[in-house]
Amino acid sequence: EDSSMGNASIQLIDRPKYLQDLSKWAGKMIAQDCDRRSALRLEQNLSQQGLCDRSDITLASLRRFERTGLIAFDSLLRLANA
């Protein structure tokens, strides 16, 4: 019984470290993608508002997407087709 309790304790201690590492990795990936998203738009000589007009998404949605990577699926499809 004691050894199984010990294993459970180790798993509880290791899990937060794993989640911290995953969070750091995800943060780096999002930051890299944010730079790429803005660069792709700028390569087309499009302002944020210009891309919003083309894709029929709100300026707030595009800004959030370029900053954080978060966007509704339907808005992502509209951007892809713009």
Side-chain angles (χ1 to χ4, degrees):
E1 290 179 8
D2 290 341
S3 63
S4 66
M5 294 280 292
N7 288 341
S9 297
I10 290 171
Q11 289 175 348
L12 290 175
I13 291 169
D14 289 343
R15 184 171 170 93
K17 172 77 170 107
Y18 165 77
L19 291 175
Q20 288 174 357
D21 291 345
L22 181 61
S23 178
K24 287 178 188 176
W25 175 81
K28 288 178 186 177
M29 296 302 293
I30 289 170
Q32 289 173 356
D33 283 349
C34 288
D35 293 340
R36 184 170 175 263
R37 284 187 287 273
S38 296
L40 288 171
R41 175 179 53 78
L42 293 172
E43 284 174 10
Q44 301 293 318
N45 294 320
L46 279 172
S47 65
Q48 287 180 329
Q49 186 60 57
L51 182 54
C52 290
D53 293 343
R54 273 188 172 185
S55 60
D56 197 32
I57 67 168
T58 65
L59 184 57
S61 291
L62 179 60
R63 286 182 175 162
R64 183 176 50 250
F65 179 55
E66 287 188 353
R67 189 179 68 250
T68 68
L70 299 175
I71 192 166
F73 185 69
D74 63 325
S75 296
L76 181 61
L77 292 176
R78 288 179 188 161
L79 280 174
N81 290 318

